[in-house]
Amino acid sequence: MKGKRLFIQEVATRDGFQNEAQFVDTDAKIALVDRLSACGYAKIEVTSFTSPKAIPALRDAEAVMHGIQRRDGVIYTVLVPNIRGAERALSCGVDEVNLVMSVSESHNRTNLRMGREDSFAQLGDVISVVKQTKVAINVSLSTAMGCPMEGDVEQTEVLRWMARFAELGAHGVTLCDTTGMAYPSQVQQLCTDARNEFPELELTLHFHNTRGMALANTLAALEAGIDRFDSSLGGLGGCPYAPGATGNVCTEELVHMLELDGYNTGVHLAELLAASATLPTLIGHDVPSQLLKAGRRLDLHSMPCLSKDGLPEQRAFAERV
Amino acid sequence: MKGKRLFIQEVATRDGFQNEAQFVDTDAKIALVDRLSACGYAKIEVTSFTSPKAIPALRDAEAVMHGIQRRDGVIYTVLVPNIRGAERALSCGVDEVNLVMSVSESHNRTNLRMGREDSFAQLGDVISVVKQTKVAINVSLSTAMGCPMEGDVEQTEVLRWMARFAELGAHGVTLCDTTGMAYPSQVQQLCTDARNEFPELELTLHFHNTRGMALANTLAALEAGIDRFDSSLGGLGGCPYAPGATGNVCTEELVHMLELDGYNTGVHLAELLAASATLPTLIGHDVPSQLLKAGRRLDLHSMPCLSKDGLPEQRAFAERV
């Protein structure tokens, strides 16, 4: 397993910013994406071609896509809900469109205001259009590890929707733990079965850290052979069902752990941390990233001032275990 | 592995409260320990018999130990730094004393104001005294997975100190990731070797979530056969090297994950969450626990108000993945 190449896909400028009350200036979005392009990601989800009324935070999707400097080796993807969005995205020359629907009926109705079959028909139309181009098609299946309204989601349902989209010609599928309900043994089983049933699909895991399990779930997914992960700089993302809870798995924490465990993520952690440090100014508040506060594992500290006998002048941290 | 019995050891009233600026009233401490005693823990680290000047937050150690209602099946342990502390602890009829020193010289000097050999001699004296009683002896080895000043800590050094304390007659050893530097592959290797070399020692893992890896490290430890974990209600604990960072691994998040993964922790999660919800009032600030904000995985939400066609009146969360 050591040295295995993993693929890290950044979603902060889409899944993160869409969740923010404060509008991030178009120039700042462009500057951030350009900065992230130099960090070594496999893919960046730049923005979302949804209705500006529905998601005003991302109303500048065209301007951002046209403004960024695209770097060889990085796939620039965007979220697309319907034909209109797909046309807008294609006109910007995106590398991939990312379509979304929920595995659970309740969440699809809440999130997308239509039933799953209507979503499937609509996304099928999008796929028909995009298939006439060279643009790749990824489908994100929300609530694949649990629905905040229905609870458990049957694994057979997840596999059934994967099959339907594979049949239509999707290149990849992302299994999304939309509200942080996944747990390790569940992830390992689902990932194992999904890989076995759909070896031809590019499979991404998309975790949220809502209940603190995102990195543990990542280990479980790795165990099942998954090599592609969505994550969000600074841990941006949030969860509408859990005010104040953390968001998507934090990119710098993910990369930090994976590199320590000997994987090759391709991502430059120091540059990532520097980029993450700019987020609080952009969004107007602190970010969930613990690593940003604590620094990397080997960012060492100096000893306190020592007296002549080589001991600290004061008891610095009494009996800390 | 499923259904395996695990042993959860609560440290919030010691490792948590010692880190708090606001003094928690003695009566409140006693009430919290009594409440935790009913939650199903294997062990509770009640307090610390250190100098009241060094750790004023725990200056009421005797009063707390005398005040709590001890419950059959729960081991009540306390931190003890020296002979004086051991005598105080024994006079309160504790079940176990927990001794502490660091595997790294720099951290021992910073934390305990003496070199490791001096610590070892002092703890040896404590062990001699306690061995004359029926009280159990645990040794917590700080910085066993990394030192914030020296960086990497050699695994051979950890095993060497384990051997020295096993030789003196310690019943158990706790490997402490004092400042959250552990990572999963390291944990798995260290735990595997420690169990193989010292099968007779009761081995506990003590993680901090400083860099977000505590639950991932727990999975790695489980993989190596570890069945005993320290954790802190609400995630109290902090880290003096990372202001604002999270503290010890959060008990409710640990138990939540372990029970979902099919382990038997013996701990009642609902009662634990209710107890955790009382912490912000006691300590005067929010706690790191994400689970307290988000609720358990299957604490479900109702659908938003629906219109006649069964769809939400308003777009609740637009294109959430």
Side-chain angles (χ1 to χ4, degrees), chain A residues 19 109 111 113 142 145 148-149 152 176 178 181 183 185 211 240-241 244-246 260-261 290 295 297 301 312 317 320-321, chain B residues 19 109 111 113 142 145 148-149 152 176 178 181 185 211 240-241 245-246 260-261 290 293 295 297 301 312 317 320-321:
Chain A
N19 195 56
R109 287 176 176 261
N111 197 38
R113 297 202 72 227
S142 298
M145 289 85 155
M149 288 155 286
D152 283 321
C176 302
T178 309
M181 294 174 68
Y183 54 94
S185 55
R211 292 170 177 86
Y241 298 96
T246 50
L260 285 170
D261 262 359
Q290 289 299 315
R297 177 175 187 272
H301 298 259
F317 318 112
R320 183 155 292 277
V321 178
Chain B
N19 195 54
R109 286 177 177 263
N111 198 38
R113 298 201 70 227
S142 296
M145 289 86 156
M149 288 155 286
D152 282 321
C176 301
T178 310
M181 294 174 68
S185 56
R211 293 169 177 87
Y241 299 95
T246 50
L260 286 170
D261 262 359
Q290 288 299 315
K293 296 189 181 79
R297 176 175 187 272
H301 299 259
F317 318 112
R320 183 156 293 275
V321 177

Short mmCIF file of all heavy atoms in Angstrom, two decimals, chain A residues 19 109 111 113 142 145 148-149 152 176 178 181 183 185 211 240-241 244-246 260-261 290 295 297 301 312 317 320-321, chain B residues 19 109 111 113 142 145 148-149 152 176 178 181 185 211 240-241 245-246 260-261 290 293 295 297 301 312 317 320-321:
data_model
loop_
_atom_site.label_atom_id
_atom_site.label_comp_id
_atom_site.label_asym_id
_atom_site.label_seq_id
_atom_site.Cartn_x
_atom_site.Cartn_y
_atom_site.Cartn_z
N ASN A 19 -22.01 27.54 0.84
CA ASN A 19 -22.55 27.46 2.19
C ASN A 19 -22.32 28.74 2.99
O ASN A 19 -22.76 28.87 4.12
CB ASN A 19 -21.85 26.28 2.89
CG ASN A 19 -22.54 25.85 4.16
OD1 ASN A 19 -23.71 25.54 4.13
ND2 ASN A 19 -21.80 25.84 5.26
N ARG A 109 -36.07 15.32 -2.67
CA ARG A 109 -37.19 16.29 -2.70
C ARG A 109 -36.82 17.57 -1.95
O ARG A 109 -37.14 18.67 -2.39
CB ARG A 109 -38.46 15.67 -2.10
CG ARG A 109 -39.09 14.65 -3.04
CD ARG A 109 -40.29 13.94 -2.44
NE ARG A 109 -40.87 13.07 -3.46
CZ ARG A 109 -41.94 13.38 -4.20
NH1 ARG A 109 -42.57 14.52 -4.01
NH2 ARG A 109 -42.37 12.57 -5.14
N ASN A 111 -33.73 18.71 -1.27
CA ASN A 111 -32.54 19.37 -1.82
C ASN A 111 -32.77 19.88 -3.24
O ASN A 111 -32.29 20.95 -3.60
CB ASN A 111 -31.39 18.35 -1.81
CG ASN A 111 -30.02 18.98 -1.96
OD1 ASN A 111 -29.77 20.05 -1.42
ND2 ASN A 111 -29.15 18.31 -2.71
N ARG A 113 -35.98 19.66 -4.94
CA ARG A 113 -37.40 19.98 -5.18
C ARG A 113 -38.03 19.14 -6.28
O ARG A 113 -38.84 19.62 -7.08
CB ARG A 113 -37.58 21.48 -5.47
CG ARG A 113 -37.19 22.37 -4.29
CD ARG A 113 -37.85 23.72 -4.39
NE ARG A 113 -39.28 23.62 -4.11
CZ ARG A 113 -40.23 24.19 -4.86
NH1 ARG A 113 -39.92 24.90 -5.92
NH2 ARG A 113 -41.50 24.05 -4.53
N SER A 142 -25.84 11.85 -3.54
CA SER A 142 -25.93 12.35 -2.17
C SER A 142 -26.58 11.32 -1.26
O SER A 142 -27.28 10.41 -1.71
CB SER A 142 -26.77 13.63 -2.15
OG SER A 142 -26.15 14.64 -2.91
N MET A 145 -24.64 7.24 2.28
CA MET A 145 -24.38 6.50 3.53
C MET A 145 -25.39 6.83 4.62
O MET A 145 -25.16 6.52 5.79
CB MET A 145 -22.97 6.80 4.05
CG MET A 145 -21.85 6.19 3.21
SD MET A 145 -21.45 7.29 1.80
CE MET A 145 -19.76 6.80 1.49
N PRO A 148 -30.59 12.23 6.39
CA PRO A 148 -30.95 12.85 7.68
C PRO A 148 -32.43 12.77 7.99
O PRO A 148 -32.82 12.94 9.14
CB PRO A 148 -30.50 14.31 7.50
CG PRO A 148 -30.43 14.53 6.03
CD PRO A 148 -30.06 13.21 5.43
N MET A 149 -33.26 12.49 6.97
CA MET A 149 -34.70 12.34 7.21
C MET A 149 -35.14 10.89 7.26
O MET A 149 -36.00 10.52 8.05
CB MET A 149 -35.48 13.12 6.15
CG MET A 149 -35.37 14.62 6.36
SD MET A 149 -35.60 15.60 4.87
CE MET A 149 -34.07 15.31 4.01
N ASP A 152 -31.12 5.12 7.68
CA ASP A 152 -30.30 4.22 6.88
C ASP A 152 -30.72 4.22 5.42
O ASP A 152 -31.91 4.29 5.10
CB ASP A 152 -30.40 2.79 7.43
CG ASP A 152 -29.57 2.60 8.68
OD1 ASP A 152 -28.46 3.15 8.74
OD2 ASP A 152 -30.05 1.91 9.59
N CYS A 176 -21.44 10.17 -1.81
CA CYS A 176 -21.38 11.32 -0.91
C CYS A 176 -22.01 11.01 0.44
O CYS A 176 -23.17 10.62 0.51
CB CYS A 176 -22.10 12.51 -1.52
SG CYS A 176 -21.43 13.00 -3.12
N THR A 178 -23.30 13.01 2.64
CA THR A 178 -23.74 14.40 2.62
C THR A 178 -23.85 15.05 4.00
O THR A 178 -23.52 16.23 4.16
CB THR A 178 -25.10 14.47 1.90
OG1 THR A 178 -24.97 13.78 0.66
CG2 THR A 178 -25.53 15.90 1.65
N MET A 181 -23.02 10.87 8.05
CA MET A 181 -23.63 9.71 8.72
C MET A 181 -22.85 8.42 8.50
O MET A 181 -23.18 7.38 9.09
CB MET A 181 -25.07 9.53 8.23
CG MET A 181 -25.99 10.68 8.63
SD MET A 181 -27.66 10.56 7.91
CE MET A 181 -28.31 9.13 8.77
N TYR A 183 -20.06 5.49 8.66
CA TYR A 183 -19.14 4.95 9.68
C TYR A 183 -18.25 3.90 9.02
O TYR A 183 -18.59 3.36 7.96
CB TYR A 183 -19.91 4.41 10.89
CG TYR A 183 -20.97 3.39 10.60
CD1 TYR A 183 -20.69 2.02 10.64
CD2 TYR A 183 -22.26 3.78 10.27
CE1 TYR A 183 -21.65 1.08 10.39
CE2 TYR A 183 -23.24 2.84 9.99
CZ TYR A 183 -22.93 1.49 10.05
OH TYR A 183 -23.90 0.56 9.79
N SER A 185 -17.10 0.68 9.10
CA SER A 185 -17.38 -0.65 8.56
C SER A 185 -18.38 -0.57 7.41
O SER A 185 -18.30 -1.34 6.44
CB SER A 185 -17.90 -1.58 9.67
OG SER A 185 -19.02 -1.03 10.32
N ARG A 211 -19.72 14.34 12.24
CA ARG A 211 -19.66 13.61 13.52
C ARG A 211 -18.23 13.12 13.81
O ARG A 211 -18.03 12.16 14.55
CB ARG A 211 -20.66 12.45 13.49
CG ARG A 211 -22.11 12.96 13.48
CD ARG A 211 -23.14 11.90 13.23
NE ARG A 211 -24.48 12.48 13.30
CZ ARG A 211 -25.11 13.07 12.28
NH1 ARG A 211 -24.51 13.15 11.10
NH2 ARG A 211 -26.31 13.57 12.44
N PRO A 240 -26.46 21.82 6.96
CA PRO A 240 -27.66 22.57 7.33
C PRO A 240 -28.43 21.91 8.47
O PRO A 240 -29.24 22.56 9.12
CB PRO A 240 -28.48 22.60 6.04
CG PRO A 240 -27.97 21.48 5.23
CD PRO A 240 -26.53 21.29 5.60
N TYR A 241 -28.20 20.63 8.71
CA TYR A 241 -28.91 19.94 9.78
C TYR A 241 -28.18 20.04 11.10
O TYR A 241 -28.66 19.57 12.12
CB TYR A 241 -29.11 18.46 9.41
CG TYR A 241 -29.95 18.29 8.18
CD1 TYR A 241 -29.36 18.11 6.94
CD2 TYR A 241 -31.33 18.34 8.26
CE1 TYR A 241 -30.12 17.97 5.80
CE2 TYR A 241 -32.10 18.19 7.12
CZ TYR A 241 -31.50 18.01 5.90
OH TYR A 241 -32.27 17.88 4.78
N GLY A 244 -23.30 24.96 13.19
CA GLY A 244 -22.06 25.02 13.95
C GLY A 244 -21.18 23.80 13.79
O GLY A 244 -20.05 23.78 14.26
N ALA A 245 -21.69 22.76 13.15
CA ALA A 245 -20.89 21.55 12.96
C ALA A 245 -19.86 21.78 11.85
O ALA A 245 -20.00 22.69 11.04
CB ALA A 245 -21.77 20.36 12.61
N THR A 246 -18.83 20.95 11.84
CA THR A 246 -17.82 21.06 10.79
C THR A 246 -18.39 20.60 9.46
O THR A 246 -19.45 19.97 9.40
CB THR A 246 -16.60 20.18 11.13
OG1 THR A 246 -17.06 18.89 11.46
CG2 THR A 246 -15.83 20.77 12.28
N LEU A 260 1.62 11.09 5.88
CA LEU A 260 2.28 10.43 7.01
C LEU A 260 2.16 8.92 6.89
O LEU A 260 3.09 8.18 7.23
CB LEU A 260 1.65 10.88 8.34
CG LEU A 260 2.02 12.29 8.81
CD1 LEU A 260 1.16 12.71 9.99
CD2 LEU A 260 3.50 12.37 9.17
N ASP A 261 1.02 8.46 6.38
CA ASP A 261 0.82 7.02 6.22
C ASP A 261 1.51 6.48 4.97
O ASP A 261 1.36 5.30 4.65
CB ASP A 261 -0.68 6.70 6.20
CG ASP A 261 -1.18 6.22 7.56
OD1 ASP A 261 -0.36 6.12 8.49
OD2 ASP A 261 -2.38 5.92 7.69
N GLN A 290 -8.35 21.91 12.07
CA GLN A 290 -7.52 21.82 13.27
C GLN A 290 -6.05 21.96 12.91
O GLN A 290 -5.25 22.47 13.69
CB GLN A 290 -7.75 20.46 13.96
CG GLN A 290 -9.10 20.33 14.62
CD GLN A 290 -9.29 21.35 15.70
OE1 GLN A 290 -8.41 21.58 16.51
NE2 GLN A 290 -10.43 21.99 15.69
N GLY A 295 -0.68 23.21 13.29
CA GLY A 295 0.52 23.01 12.47
C GLY A 295 0.74 21.55 12.18
O GLY A 295 0.10 20.67 12.78
N ARG A 297 2.55 17.87 11.99
CA ARG A 297 3.09 17.01 13.04
C ARG A 297 4.52 17.40 13.45
O ARG A 297 4.86 17.41 14.62
CB ARG A 297 3.07 15.57 12.53
CG ARG A 297 3.66 14.57 13.47
CD ARG A 297 3.48 13.17 12.95
NE ARG A 297 3.93 12.23 13.97
CZ ARG A 297 5.19 11.82 14.09
NH1 ARG A 297 6.10 12.21 13.24
NH2 ARG A 297 5.51 10.99 15.07
N HIS A 301 8.30 22.88 18.30
CA HIS A 301 8.28 24.01 19.22
C HIS A 301 9.60 24.06 19.96
O HIS A 301 10.23 23.03 20.19
CB HIS A 301 7.13 23.84 20.20
CG HIS A 301 5.79 23.81 19.55
ND1 HIS A 301 4.95 24.88 19.50
CD2 HIS A 301 5.17 22.82 18.85
CE1 HIS A 301 3.85 24.56 18.83
NE2 HIS A 301 3.96 23.31 18.43
N PRO A 312 13.10 24.12 32.78
CA PRO A 312 12.34 25.34 32.52
C PRO A 312 12.28 26.20 33.79
O PRO A 312 12.23 25.68 34.91
CB PRO A 312 10.95 24.84 32.15
CG PRO A 312 11.09 23.40 31.86
CD PRO A 312 12.29 22.91 32.59
N PHE A 317 3.64 23.24 31.75
CA PHE A 317 2.39 22.51 31.59
C PHE A 317 2.40 21.36 32.57
O PHE A 317 3.03 20.35 32.33
CB PHE A 317 2.25 21.96 30.17
CG PHE A 317 2.68 22.92 29.12
CD1 PHE A 317 3.80 22.69 28.37
CD2 PHE A 317 1.97 24.10 28.91
CE1 PHE A 317 4.20 23.59 27.42
CE2 PHE A 317 2.37 25.00 27.96
CZ PHE A 317 3.50 24.75 27.21
N ARG A 320 1.06 17.08 32.15
CA ARG A 320 0.23 16.89 30.97
C ARG A 320 0.45 15.50 30.39
O ARG A 320 1.57 15.08 30.17
CB ARG A 320 0.57 17.96 29.92
CG ARG A 320 -0.30 17.88 28.70
CD ARG A 320 -0.37 19.20 28.02
NE ARG A 320 -1.09 20.17 28.82
CZ ARG A 320 -2.40 20.28 28.83
NH1 ARG A 320 -3.14 19.46 28.11
NH2 ARG A 320 -2.99 21.19 29.56
N VAL A 321 -0.64 14.79 30.20
CA VAL A 321 -0.57 13.43 29.67
C VAL A 321 -1.05 13.45 28.23
O VAL A 321 -0.60 12.77 27.38
CB VAL A 321 -1.47 12.48 30.49
CG1 VAL A 321 -1.43 11.09 29.92
CG2 VAL A 321 -1.01 12.47 31.94
N ASN B 19 -7.06 21.70 32.42
CA ASN B 19 -6.73 22.60 31.31
C ASN B 19 -7.63 23.85 31.30
O ASN B 19 -7.44 24.73 30.48
CB ASN B 19 -6.93 21.81 30.01
CG ASN B 19 -6.31 22.46 28.80
OD1 ASN B 19 -5.13 22.77 28.82
ND2 ASN B 19 -7.12 22.70 27.79
N ARG B 109 11.29 17.27 30.79
CA ARG B 109 11.85 18.45 31.48
C ARG B 109 10.87 19.60 31.47
O ARG B 109 10.72 20.33 32.44
CB ARG B 109 13.17 18.87 30.81
CG ARG B 109 14.30 17.93 31.15
CD ARG B 109 15.61 18.28 30.44
NE ARG B 109 16.65 17.36 30.88
CZ ARG B 109 17.54 17.66 31.85
NH1 ARG B 109 17.56 18.84 32.40
NH2 ARG B 109 18.42 16.76 32.22
N ASN B 111 7.50 19.40 31.11
CA ASN B 111 6.24 19.06 31.75
C ASN B 111 6.40 18.79 33.23
O ASN B 111 5.55 19.16 34.03
CB ASN B 111 5.68 17.81 31.05
CG ASN B 111 4.20 17.58 31.31
OD1 ASN B 111 3.43 18.53 31.36
ND2 ASN B 111 3.83 16.33 31.47
N ARG B 113 9.58 19.16 34.96
CA ARG B 113 10.72 19.89 35.52
C ARG B 113 11.80 18.99 36.08
O ARG B 113 12.44 19.31 37.09
CB ARG B 113 10.26 20.90 36.59
CG ARG B 113 9.33 21.96 36.05
CD ARG B 113 9.30 23.19 36.92
NE ARG B 113 10.56 23.93 36.87
CZ ARG B 113 11.21 24.38 37.93
NH1 ARG B 113 10.76 24.16 39.13
NH2 ARG B 113 12.33 25.05 37.77
N SER B 142 3.90 9.74 28.30
CA SER B 142 3.56 10.87 27.44
C SER B 142 4.48 10.89 26.22
O SER B 142 5.56 10.31 26.23
CB SER B 142 3.74 12.18 28.21
OG SER B 142 2.83 12.24 29.29
N MET B 145 4.09 8.96 20.84
CA MET B 145 4.01 8.97 19.38
C MET B 145 4.60 10.25 18.78
O MET B 145 4.38 10.53 17.59
CB MET B 145 2.56 8.84 18.91
CG MET B 145 1.97 7.45 19.14
SD MET B 145 1.30 7.32 20.82
CE MET B 145 0.10 6.02 20.57
N PRO B 148 6.57 17.39 20.84
CA PRO B 148 6.43 18.68 20.14
C PRO B 148 7.74 19.45 20.03
O PRO B 148 7.83 20.37 19.21
CB PRO B 148 5.40 19.43 21.00
CG PRO B 148 5.45 18.78 22.33
CD PRO B 148 5.80 17.35 22.09
N MET B 149 8.73 19.07 20.84
CA MET B 149 10.03 19.74 20.74
C MET B 149 11.08 18.91 20.01
O MET B 149 11.87 19.45 19.26
CB MET B 149 10.54 20.10 22.14
CG MET B 149 9.73 21.25 22.75
SD MET B 149 9.73 21.29 24.55
CE MET B 149 8.64 19.92 24.92
N ASP B 152 10.02 13.17 16.08
CA ASP B 152 9.80 11.73 16.16
C ASP B 152 10.38 11.15 17.44
O ASP B 152 11.45 11.56 17.90
CB ASP B 152 10.46 11.04 14.96
CG ASP B 152 9.62 11.19 13.70
OD1 ASP B 152 8.39 11.11 13.79
OD2 ASP B 152 10.22 11.40 12.63
N CYS B 176 0.52 7.48 25.37
CA CYS B 176 -0.18 8.76 25.23
C CYS B 176 0.34 9.54 24.02
O CYS B 176 1.53 9.81 23.90
CB CYS B 176 0.03 9.61 26.48
SG CYS B 176 -0.58 8.82 27.97
N THR B 178 0.29 12.72 23.40
CA THR B 178 0.05 13.91 24.22
C THR B 178 -0.34 15.15 23.43
O THR B 178 -1.15 15.95 23.85
CB THR B 178 1.32 14.17 25.05
OG1 THR B 178 1.68 12.95 25.70
CG2 THR B 178 1.11 15.26 26.07
N MET B 181 0.25 13.89 17.71
CA MET B 181 1.22 13.70 16.62
C MET B 181 1.13 12.30 16.00
O MET B 181 1.80 12.02 15.01
CB MET B 181 2.64 13.94 17.13
CG MET B 181 2.88 15.41 17.53
SD MET B 181 4.52 15.68 18.30
CE MET B 181 5.61 15.39 16.89
N SER B 185 -0.60 4.46 10.64
CA SER B 185 0.33 3.34 10.42
C SER B 185 1.33 3.24 11.57
O SER B 185 1.73 2.14 11.96
CB SER B 185 1.04 3.49 9.07
OG SER B 185 1.70 4.73 8.98
N ARG B 211 -4.80 17.16 15.59
CA ARG B 211 -4.70 17.27 14.13
C ARG B 211 -5.78 16.44 13.43
O ARG B 211 -5.62 16.04 12.27
CB ARG B 211 -3.29 16.88 13.68
CG ARG B 211 -2.24 17.89 14.14
CD ARG B 211 -0.82 17.44 13.95
NE ARG B 211 0.11 18.50 14.36
CZ ARG B 211 0.54 18.68 15.61
NH1 ARG B 211 0.14 17.86 16.57
NH2 ARG B 211 1.37 19.68 15.89
N PRO B 240 -1.43 22.77 24.86
CA PRO B 240 -0.75 24.04 25.10
C PRO B 240 0.08 24.51 23.91
O PRO B 240 0.42 25.68 23.83
CB PRO B 240 0.15 23.73 26.30
CG PRO B 240 0.29 22.25 26.32
CD PRO B 240 -0.96 21.69 25.73
N TYR B 241 0.40 23.61 23.01
CA TYR B 241 1.18 24.00 21.84
C TYR B 241 0.30 24.47 20.67
O TYR B 241 0.82 24.89 19.64
CB TYR B 241 2.06 22.84 21.37
CG TYR B 241 3.04 22.42 22.42
CD1 TYR B 241 2.76 21.36 23.27
CD2 TYR B 241 4.24 23.10 22.59
CE1 TYR B 241 3.64 20.97 24.26
CE2 TYR B 241 5.13 22.72 23.58
CZ TYR B 241 4.83 21.66 24.41
OH TYR B 241 5.71 21.29 25.38
N ALA B 245 -6.93 24.62 19.54
CA ALA B 245 -7.09 23.28 18.95
C ALA B 245 -7.95 22.41 19.86
O ALA B 245 -8.12 22.71 21.04
CB ALA B 245 -5.73 22.62 18.74
N THR B 246 -8.49 21.35 19.29
CA THR B 246 -9.29 20.42 20.08
C THR B 246 -8.39 19.64 21.03
O THR B 246 -7.18 19.62 20.89
CB THR B 246 -10.03 19.43 19.18
OG1 THR B 246 -9.12 18.86 18.27
CG2 THR B 246 -11.13 20.12 18.43
N LEU B 260 -21.34 1.95 16.28
CA LEU B 260 -21.79 1.78 14.89
C LEU B 260 -20.99 0.67 14.22
O LEU B 260 -21.52 -0.09 13.41
CB LEU B 260 -21.62 3.09 14.11
CG LEU B 260 -22.64 4.19 14.42
CD1 LEU B 260 -22.22 5.51 13.78
CD2 LEU B 260 -24.04 3.78 13.95
N ASP B 261 -19.72 0.58 14.56
CA ASP B 261 -18.88 -0.46 13.95
C ASP B 261 -19.08 -1.82 14.60
O ASP B 261 -18.37 -2.78 14.26
CB ASP B 261 -17.40 -0.04 14.02
CG ASP B 261 -16.94 0.57 12.69
OD1 ASP B 261 -17.75 0.63 11.75
OD2 ASP B 261 -15.76 0.96 12.59
N GLN B 290 -18.19 17.47 18.17
CA GLN B 290 -19.05 17.67 17.00
C GLN B 290 -20.36 16.92 17.18
O GLN B 290 -21.40 17.35 16.70
CB GLN B 290 -18.34 17.15 15.74
CG GLN B 290 -17.19 18.02 15.29
CD GLN B 290 -17.63 19.42 14.95
OE1 GLN B 290 -18.63 19.61 14.28
NE2 GLN B 290 -16.89 20.40 15.43
N LYS B 293 -23.15 18.77 18.73
CA LYS B 293 -23.84 19.71 17.83
C LYS B 293 -24.73 18.96 16.83
O LYS B 293 -25.84 19.38 16.54
CB LYS B 293 -22.82 20.53 17.04
CG LYS B 293 -21.93 21.44 17.87
CD LYS B 293 -21.14 22.35 16.96
CE LYS B 293 -20.22 23.28 17.74
NZ LYS B 293 -18.98 22.59 18.19
N GLY B 295 -25.72 15.64 16.79
CA GLY B 295 -26.58 14.54 17.21
C GLY B 295 -26.08 13.22 16.63
O GLY B 295 -25.22 13.20 15.75
N ARG B 297 -26.03 9.67 14.62
CA ARG B 297 -26.28 9.37 13.21
C ARG B 297 -27.76 9.22 12.89
O ARG B 297 -28.21 9.72 11.86
CB ARG B 297 -25.54 8.07 12.87
CG ARG B 297 -25.76 7.57 11.48
CD ARG B 297 -24.90 6.36 11.21
NE ARG B 297 -25.03 6.03 9.79
CZ ARG B 297 -25.98 5.23 9.31
NH1 ARG B 297 -26.85 4.67 10.12
NH2 ARG B 297 -26.03 4.99 8.01
N HIS B 301 -34.23 14.09 11.18
CA HIS B 301 -34.84 15.41 11.01
C HIS B 301 -36.14 15.24 10.23
O HIS B 301 -36.27 14.35 9.41
CB HIS B 301 -33.89 16.33 10.25
CG HIS B 301 -32.59 16.55 10.98
ND1 HIS B 301 -32.32 17.68 11.71
CD2 HIS B 301 -31.50 15.75 11.12
CE1 HIS B 301 -31.13 17.58 12.25
NE2 HIS B 301 -30.60 16.42 11.91
N PRO B 312 -40.97 20.53 -1.01
CA PRO B 312 -40.80 21.61 -0.04
C PRO B 312 -41.29 22.94 -0.63
O PRO B 312 -41.16 23.19 -1.83
CB PRO B 312 -39.30 21.66 0.19
CG PRO B 312 -38.75 20.38 -0.33
CD PRO B 312 -39.70 19.91 -1.38
N PHE B 317 -32.06 23.60 0.70
CA PHE B 317 -30.60 23.55 0.64
C PHE B 317 -30.22 23.22 -0.80
O PHE B 317 -30.31 22.09 -1.22
CB PHE B 317 -30.03 22.47 1.55
CG PHE B 317 -30.70 22.42 2.88
CD1 PHE B 317 -31.48 21.35 3.23
CD2 PHE B 317 -30.57 23.47 3.76
CE1 PHE B 317 -32.11 21.32 4.45
CE2 PHE B 317 -31.20 23.44 4.98
CZ PHE B 317 -31.98 22.36 5.33
N ARG B 320 -27.14 20.47 -2.53
CA ARG B 320 -26.17 20.06 -1.52
C ARG B 320 -25.68 18.66 -1.81
O ARG B 320 -26.47 17.74 -2.00
CB ARG B 320 -26.81 20.12 -0.14
CG ARG B 320 -25.86 19.79 0.98
CD ARG B 320 -26.32 20.41 2.25
NE ARG B 320 -26.24 21.85 2.18
CZ ARG B 320 -25.14 22.54 2.44
NH1 ARG B 320 -24.02 21.93 2.75
NH2 ARG B 320 -25.15 23.85 2.38
N VAL B 321 -24.36 18.51 -1.85
CA VAL B 321 -23.74 17.23 -2.13
C VAL B 321 -23.15 16.68 -0.83
O VAL B 321 -23.15 15.54 -0.55
CB VAL B 321 -22.63 17.39 -3.19
CG1 VAL B 321 -21.95 16.07 -3.43
CG2 VAL B 321 -23.22 17.95 -4.47
#
